[in-house]
Amino acid sequence: MTEVLLKIGELAARAGVSIRTVDYYTSLGLISPAQRTAGNYRLYEPGDVERIHLVQRLEVQGVPLDEIATAFNTRQADVGPILDRIDEDLRALQAAAESASPEAHGVLAAIATRVHSLITLALEIPPLP
């Protein structure tokens, strides 16, 4: 059974955002209409609700919208080098935390928590078709 496409107002309501937010996300390339009606209304996939929620979670973590759009629109064939770099960075963070003063240790722990949250969110991003 085929999923019913959503008009912009329906998408906004399901995602809990304004139509202006949907327009803005569309203009940034964070979401895109699946098709248009004969009357030129934009129609969106129901999965765009989750994509909007993912964008909002990333934004709350401090990731700028333009960087989210770039990440969504960049096809990376091999994520191995990216994961290697993250692993190196996390090891460096762990080493710094072990030798840090008590004051810096708290800051480094907060950074590690943020990194963990971002990696968890990144793993939730569905693969592009």
Side-chain angles (χ1 to χ4, degrees):
M1 184 163 114
T2 317
E3 292 187 78
V4 176
L5 296 176
L6 307 172
K7 291 182 182 174
I8 190 170
E10 295 168 320
L11 175 63
R14 287 189 186 185
V17 298
S18 68
I19 291 174
R20 284 185 68 174
T21 298
V22 174
D23 278 336
Y24 185 56
Y25 284 7
T26 300
S27 73
L28 292 175
L30 294 165
I31 57 174
S32 58
Q35 66 186 54
R36 290 187 176 263
T37 66
N40 208 28
Y41 289 102
R42 291 172 284 173
L43 298 174
Y44 293 87
E45 297 284 343
D48 286 331
V49 172
E50 286 306 311
R51 187 155 178 138
I52 289 171
H53 292 158
L54 176 60
V55 168
Q56 290 175 321
R57 289 194 309 269
L58 288 168
E59 191 175 21
V60 164
Q61 292 294 327
V63 181
L65 289 174
D66 60 333
E67 289 182 21
I68 298 170
T70 299
F72 281 175
N73 296 312
T74 301
R75 293 187 183 262
Q76 184 71 35
D78 182 14
V79 296
I82 294 170
L83 293 175
D84 288 342
R85 176 63 193 268
I86 290 171
D87 184 51
E88 289 174 22
D89 291 345
L90 289 175
R91 288 176 195 271
L93 179 62
Q94 184 177 15
E98 289 172 1
S99 63
S101 68
E103 298 83 19
H105 186 72
V107 171
L108 292 171
I111 292 169
T113 299
R114 175 66 59 95
V115 168
H116 177 74
S117 296
L118 289 170
I119 290 171
T120 301
L121 281 172
L123 293 173
E124 292 177 16
I125 298 172
L128 296 171

Short mmCIF file of all heavy atoms in Angstrom, two decimals, residues 5-51:
data_model
loop_
_atom_site.label_atom_id
_atom_site.label_comp_id
_atom_site.label_asym_id
_atom_site.label_seq_id
_atom_site.Cartn_x
_atom_site.Cartn_y
_atom_site.Cartn_z
N LEU A 5 0.75 11.13 0.41
CA LEU A 5 1.60 12.31 0.53
C LEU A 5 0.86 13.40 1.30
O LEU A 5 -0.37 13.46 1.29
CB LEU A 5 2.01 12.81 -0.86
CG LEU A 5 2.87 11.83 -1.66
CD1 LEU A 5 3.14 12.39 -3.06
CD2 LEU A 5 4.17 11.52 -0.95
N LEU A 6 1.63 14.25 1.95
CA LEU A 6 1.07 15.30 2.80
C LEU A 6 1.22 16.67 2.18
O LEU A 6 2.29 17.00 1.66
CB LEU A 6 1.79 15.30 4.16
CG LEU A 6 1.86 13.98 4.92
CD1 LEU A 6 2.78 14.13 6.13
CD2 LEU A 6 0.48 13.54 5.34
N LYS A 7 0.18 17.48 2.30
CA LYS A 7 0.28 18.89 1.93
C LYS A 7 1.12 19.57 3.00
O LYS A 7 1.28 19.06 4.12
CB LYS A 7 -1.09 19.54 1.82
CG LYS A 7 -1.91 19.05 0.65
CD LYS A 7 -3.24 19.77 0.58
CE LYS A 7 -4.07 19.24 -0.57
NZ LYS A 7 -5.42 19.83 -0.56
N ILE A 8 1.61 20.74 2.69
CA ILE A 8 2.53 21.44 3.60
C ILE A 8 1.90 21.68 4.97
O ILE A 8 2.55 21.50 6.00
CB ILE A 8 3.05 22.76 2.96
CG1 ILE A 8 4.17 23.34 3.80
CG2 ILE A 8 1.92 23.73 2.73
CD1 ILE A 8 4.89 24.50 3.15
N GLY A 9 0.63 22.04 5.01
CA GLY A 9 -0.04 22.27 6.30
C GLY A 9 -0.17 21.00 7.12
O GLY A 9 -0.03 21.02 8.35
N GLU A 10 -0.42 19.88 6.45
CA GLU A 10 -0.52 18.59 7.14
C GLU A 10 0.85 18.18 7.70
O GLU A 10 0.94 17.70 8.83
CB GLU A 10 -1.03 17.52 6.18
CG GLU A 10 -2.45 17.75 5.70
CD GLU A 10 -2.83 16.84 4.54
OE1 GLU A 10 -1.99 16.61 3.64
OE2 GLU A 10 -3.98 16.36 4.56
N LEU A 11 1.88 18.39 6.90
CA LEU A 11 3.23 18.08 7.36
C LEU A 11 3.59 18.92 8.57
O LEU A 11 4.08 18.40 9.58
CB LEU A 11 4.25 18.30 6.24
CG LEU A 11 5.73 18.13 6.63
CD1 LEU A 11 6.02 16.69 7.08
CD2 LEU A 11 6.63 18.53 5.48
N ALA A 12 3.31 20.20 8.49
CA ALA A 12 3.62 21.11 9.60
C ALA A 12 2.88 20.68 10.87
O ALA A 12 3.47 20.63 11.96
CB ALA A 12 3.26 22.54 9.22
N ALA A 13 1.60 20.34 10.73
CA ALA A 13 0.81 19.94 11.89
C ALA A 13 1.35 18.65 12.51
O ALA A 13 1.50 18.56 13.73
CB ALA A 13 -0.66 19.77 11.50
N ARG A 14 1.66 17.66 11.69
CA ARG A 14 2.17 16.39 12.21
C ARG A 14 3.53 16.55 12.87
O ARG A 14 3.85 15.86 13.83
CB ARG A 14 2.26 15.36 11.09
CG ARG A 14 0.92 14.83 10.66
CD ARG A 14 1.09 13.66 9.72
NE ARG A 14 -0.19 13.24 9.18
CZ ARG A 14 -0.34 12.18 8.40
NH1 ARG A 14 0.72 11.45 8.07
NH2 ARG A 14 -1.52 11.85 7.94
N ALA A 15 4.35 17.46 12.32
CA ALA A 15 5.69 17.67 12.87
C ALA A 15 5.68 18.64 14.05
O ALA A 15 6.69 18.76 14.75
CB ALA A 15 6.63 18.18 11.78
N GLY A 16 4.58 19.34 14.25
CA GLY A 16 4.50 20.30 15.35
C GLY A 16 5.29 21.56 15.10
O GLY A 16 5.83 22.17 16.03
N VAL A 17 5.37 21.96 13.83
CA VAL A 17 6.08 23.18 13.46
C VAL A 17 5.15 24.06 12.63
O VAL A 17 4.07 23.63 12.23
CB VAL A 17 7.38 22.89 12.65
CG1 VAL A 17 8.35 22.07 13.48
CG2 VAL A 17 7.07 22.18 11.34
N SER A 18 5.58 25.26 12.34
CA SER A 18 4.78 26.15 11.51
C SER A 18 5.04 25.88 10.03
O SER A 18 6.04 25.26 9.66
CB SER A 18 5.14 27.61 11.81
OG SER A 18 6.46 27.89 11.37
N ILE A 19 4.13 26.35 9.21
CA ILE A 19 4.31 26.24 7.76
C ILE A 19 5.57 27.00 7.35
O ILE A 19 6.30 26.57 6.45
CB ILE A 19 3.05 26.75 7.02
CG1 ILE A 19 1.90 25.77 7.25
CG2 ILE A 19 3.32 26.92 5.53
CD1 ILE A 19 0.56 26.23 6.69
N ARG A 20 5.84 28.12 8.01
CA ARG A 20 7.06 28.89 7.71
C ARG A 20 8.31 28.05 7.96
O ARG A 20 9.29 28.12 7.21
CB ARG A 20 7.12 30.16 8.55
CG ARG A 20 6.19 31.24 8.03
CD ARG A 20 6.36 32.51 8.79
NE ARG A 20 7.69 33.05 8.47
CZ ARG A 20 8.12 34.21 8.89
NH1 ARG A 20 7.37 34.98 9.64
NH2 ARG A 20 9.32 34.63 8.56
N THR A 21 8.28 27.23 9.01
CA THR A 21 9.43 26.36 9.29
C THR A 21 9.61 25.34 8.17
O THR A 21 10.73 25.11 7.71
CB THR A 21 9.26 25.66 10.65
OG1 THR A 21 9.21 26.64 11.68
CG2 THR A 21 10.40 24.68 10.92
N VAL A 22 8.50 24.75 7.71
CA VAL A 22 8.58 23.80 6.60
C VAL A 22 9.13 24.50 5.36
O VAL A 22 10.00 23.97 4.68
CB VAL A 22 7.20 23.15 6.31
CG1 VAL A 22 7.27 22.29 5.06
CG2 VAL A 22 6.74 22.33 7.51
N ASP A 23 8.64 25.71 5.09
CA ASP A 23 9.16 26.49 3.96
C ASP A 23 10.66 26.73 4.10
O ASP A 23 11.43 26.58 3.14
CB ASP A 23 8.45 27.84 3.85
CG ASP A 23 7.12 27.77 3.15
OD1 ASP A 23 6.90 26.84 2.34
OD2 ASP A 23 6.29 28.67 3.39
N TYR A 24 11.08 27.12 5.29
CA TYR A 24 12.48 27.43 5.54
C TYR A 24 13.34 26.17 5.38
O TYR A 24 14.39 26.21 4.71
CB TYR A 24 12.64 28.03 6.94
CG TYR A 24 14.04 28.50 7.24
CD1 TYR A 24 14.68 29.43 6.43
CD2 TYR A 24 14.72 28.02 8.35
CE1 TYR A 24 15.97 29.87 6.71
CE2 TYR A 24 16.00 28.44 8.64
CZ TYR A 24 16.62 29.37 7.81
OH TYR A 24 17.90 29.80 8.10
N TYR A 25 12.91 25.07 5.97
CA TYR A 25 13.65 23.82 5.83
C TYR A 25 13.73 23.38 4.37
O TYR A 25 14.74 22.86 3.93
CB TYR A 25 13.02 22.72 6.67
CG TYR A 25 13.29 22.81 8.16
CD1 TYR A 25 13.93 23.90 8.75
CD2 TYR A 25 12.89 21.79 9.01
CE1 TYR A 25 14.16 23.96 10.10
CE2 TYR A 25 13.12 21.84 10.38
CZ TYR A 25 13.76 22.92 10.92
OH TYR A 25 14.00 22.97 12.27
N THR A 26 12.66 23.62 3.63
CA THR A 26 12.66 23.29 2.20
C THR A 26 13.67 24.15 1.46
O THR A 26 14.43 23.66 0.62
CB THR A 26 11.24 23.46 1.61
OG1 THR A 26 10.34 22.58 2.30
CG2 THR A 26 11.22 23.12 0.13
N SER A 27 13.70 25.45 1.79
CA SER A 27 14.63 26.36 1.10
C SER A 27 16.08 26.01 1.39
O SER A 27 16.95 26.24 0.55
CB SER A 27 14.35 27.81 1.48
OG SER A 27 14.77 28.09 2.81
N LEU A 28 16.35 25.42 2.57
CA LEU A 28 17.72 25.02 2.92
C LEU A 28 18.08 23.64 2.37
O LEU A 28 19.24 23.22 2.46
CB LEU A 28 17.88 25.00 4.45
CG LEU A 28 17.83 26.34 5.16
CD1 LEU A 28 17.89 26.14 6.67
CD2 LEU A 28 18.97 27.24 4.70
N GLY A 29 17.10 22.92 1.85
CA GLY A 29 17.37 21.58 1.33
C GLY A 29 17.33 20.51 2.40
O GLY A 29 17.79 19.39 2.18
N LEU A 30 16.78 20.83 3.58
CA LEU A 30 16.68 19.84 4.65
C LEU A 30 15.58 18.82 4.36
O LEU A 30 15.68 17.67 4.76
CB LEU A 30 16.40 20.53 5.99
CG LEU A 30 17.53 21.43 6.48
CD1 LEU A 30 17.06 22.34 7.59
CD2 LEU A 30 18.70 20.57 6.96
N ILE A 31 14.53 19.28 3.70
CA ILE A 31 13.47 18.41 3.20
C ILE A 31 13.13 18.90 1.80
O ILE A 31 13.47 20.03 1.44
CB ILE A 31 12.20 18.44 4.09
CG1 ILE A 31 11.66 19.86 4.25
CG2 ILE A 31 12.45 17.79 5.44
CD1 ILE A 31 10.34 19.95 4.99
N SER A 32 12.49 18.05 1.03
CA SER A 32 12.09 18.49 -0.31
C SER A 32 10.78 17.81 -0.68
O SER A 32 10.53 16.66 -0.29
CB SER A 32 13.17 18.20 -1.34
OG SER A 32 13.45 16.83 -1.37
N PRO A 33 9.95 18.52 -1.42
CA PRO A 33 8.66 17.93 -1.82
C PRO A 33 8.88 16.69 -2.69
O PRO A 33 9.78 16.65 -3.52
CB PRO A 33 8.00 19.04 -2.63
CG PRO A 33 8.75 20.29 -2.34
CD PRO A 33 10.13 19.87 -1.92
N ALA A 34 8.04 15.71 -2.48
CA ALA A 34 8.10 14.49 -3.29
C ALA A 34 7.52 14.75 -4.67
O ALA A 34 7.98 14.18 -5.66
CB ALA A 34 7.35 13.36 -2.59
N GLN A 35 6.51 15.60 -4.71
CA GLN A 35 5.90 15.97 -5.98
C GLN A 35 5.01 17.19 -5.76
O GLN A 35 4.88 17.68 -4.65
CB GLN A 35 5.10 14.82 -6.58
CG GLN A 35 3.88 14.40 -5.77
CD GLN A 35 3.22 13.16 -6.36
OE1 GLN A 35 3.87 12.16 -6.55
NE2 GLN A 35 1.95 13.24 -6.62
N ARG A 36 4.41 17.65 -6.85
CA ARG A 36 3.48 18.78 -6.79
C ARG A 36 2.15 18.36 -7.40
O ARG A 36 2.11 17.53 -8.30
CB ARG A 36 4.05 19.99 -7.54
CG ARG A 36 5.23 20.63 -6.81
CD ARG A 36 5.65 21.92 -7.48
NE ARG A 36 6.72 22.57 -6.75
CZ ARG A 36 6.54 23.56 -5.87
NH1 ARG A 36 5.34 24.02 -5.63
NH2 ARG A 36 7.56 24.09 -5.26
N THR A 37 1.10 18.99 -6.90
CA THR A 37 -0.23 18.71 -7.46
C THR A 37 -0.42 19.51 -8.74
O THR A 37 0.42 20.36 -9.08
CB THR A 37 -1.34 19.12 -6.47
OG1 THR A 37 -1.32 20.55 -6.32
CG2 THR A 37 -1.16 18.45 -5.12
N ALA A 38 -1.54 19.26 -9.41
CA ALA A 38 -1.86 20.02 -10.62
C ALA A 38 -1.98 21.51 -10.30
O ALA A 38 -1.68 22.36 -11.13
CB ALA A 38 -3.15 19.50 -11.24
N GLY A 39 -2.40 21.82 -9.06
CA GLY A 39 -2.50 23.22 -8.63
C GLY A 39 -1.20 23.77 -8.09
O GLY A 39 -1.16 24.84 -7.50
N ASN A 40 -0.10 23.03 -8.25
CA ASN A 40 1.25 23.42 -7.85
C ASN A 40 1.47 23.41 -6.32
O ASN A 40 2.37 24.06 -5.82
CB ASN A 40 1.65 24.77 -8.45
CG ASN A 40 3.16 24.87 -8.62
OD1 ASN A 40 3.84 23.86 -8.80
ND2 ASN A 40 3.68 26.07 -8.56
N TYR A 41 0.62 22.67 -5.60
CA TYR A 41 0.84 22.50 -4.16
C TYR A 41 1.95 21.47 -3.94
O TYR A 41 1.98 20.44 -4.61
CB TYR A 41 -0.44 22.03 -3.46
CG TYR A 41 -1.51 23.09 -3.37
CD1 TYR A 41 -2.59 23.08 -4.25
CD2 TYR A 41 -1.43 24.09 -2.41
CE1 TYR A 41 -3.57 24.04 -4.18
CE2 TYR A 41 -2.41 25.07 -2.33
CZ TYR A 41 -3.48 25.04 -3.21
OH TYR A 41 -4.45 26.00 -3.12
N ARG A 42 2.81 21.75 -2.99
CA ARG A 42 3.88 20.81 -2.67
C ARG A 42 3.32 19.66 -1.84
O ARG A 42 2.53 19.88 -0.92
CB ARG A 42 4.98 21.51 -1.88
CG ARG A 42 5.76 22.50 -2.73
CD ARG A 42 6.70 23.31 -1.88
NE ARG A 42 5.88 24.31 -1.17
CZ ARG A 42 6.33 25.11 -0.23
NH1 ARG A 42 7.58 25.04 0.15
NH2 ARG A 42 5.55 25.99 0.34
N LEU A 43 3.76 18.47 -2.14
CA LEU A 43 3.39 17.27 -1.39
C LEU A 43 4.65 16.63 -0.82
O LEU A 43 5.65 16.49 -1.53
CB LEU A 43 2.63 16.29 -2.29
CG LEU A 43 1.32 16.78 -2.88
CD1 LEU A 43 0.76 15.75 -3.85
CD2 LEU A 43 0.31 17.09 -1.78
N TYR A 44 4.58 16.25 0.44
CA TYR A 44 5.74 15.70 1.14
C TYR A 44 5.48 14.27 1.57
O TYR A 44 4.35 13.85 1.78
CB TYR A 44 6.05 16.55 2.38
CG TYR A 44 6.52 17.94 2.06
CD1 TYR A 44 5.62 18.98 1.85
CD2 TYR A 44 7.88 18.22 1.95
CE1 TYR A 44 6.06 20.26 1.55
CE2 TYR A 44 8.32 19.51 1.65
CZ TYR A 44 7.41 20.52 1.45
OH TYR A 44 7.85 21.78 1.15
N GLU A 45 6.55 13.52 1.73
CA GLU A 45 6.49 12.15 2.22
C GLU A 45 6.16 12.18 3.72
O GLU A 45 6.65 13.06 4.44
CB GLU A 45 7.83 11.44 2.04
CG GLU A 45 8.27 11.28 0.61
CD GLU A 45 7.53 10.18 -0.11
OE1 GLU A 45 6.91 9.33 0.56
OE2 GLU A 45 7.58 10.17 -1.35
N PRO A 46 5.40 11.21 4.24
CA PRO A 46 5.16 11.14 5.69
C PRO A 46 6.45 11.03 6.50
O PRO A 46 6.54 11.52 7.62
CB PRO A 46 4.30 9.88 5.85
CG PRO A 46 3.62 9.74 4.53
CD PRO A 46 4.62 10.22 3.51
N GLY A 47 7.49 10.41 5.93
CA GLY A 47 8.78 10.30 6.61
C GLY A 47 9.46 11.63 6.87
O GLY A 47 10.39 11.71 7.69
N ASP A 48 9.00 12.69 6.19
CA ASP A 48 9.59 14.01 6.42
C ASP A 48 9.28 14.54 7.82
O ASP A 48 9.99 15.40 8.33
CB ASP A 48 9.12 15.00 5.36
CG ASP A 48 9.79 14.76 4.01
OD1 ASP A 48 10.94 14.25 4.00
OD2 ASP A 48 9.18 15.07 2.98
N VAL A 49 8.23 13.99 8.46
CA VAL A 49 7.93 14.37 9.85
C VAL A 49 9.12 13.99 10.73
O VAL A 49 9.62 14.81 11.51
CB VAL A 49 6.63 13.70 10.35
CG1 VAL A 49 6.44 13.93 11.85
CG2 VAL A 49 5.43 14.19 9.56
N GLU A 50 9.59 12.76 10.58
CA GLU A 50 10.74 12.31 11.37
C GLU A 50 12.01 13.07 11.00
O GLU A 50 12.85 13.34 11.86
CB GLU A 50 10.96 10.81 11.22
CG GLU A 50 9.94 9.98 11.96
CD GLU A 50 9.84 10.36 13.44
OE1 GLU A 50 10.89 10.45 14.11
OE2 GLU A 50 8.72 10.56 13.91
N ARG A 51 12.14 13.41 9.74
CA ARG A 51 13.33 14.17 9.32
C ARG A 51 13.33 15.55 9.98
O ARG A 51 14.36 16.04 10.43
CB ARG A 51 13.36 14.30 7.81
CG ARG A 51 14.65 14.92 7.32
CD ARG A 51 14.90 14.48 5.92
NE ARG A 51 16.10 15.09 5.42
CZ ARG A 51 17.00 14.46 4.71
NH1 ARG A 51 16.83 13.20 4.42
NH2 ARG A 51 18.06 15.08 4.26
#
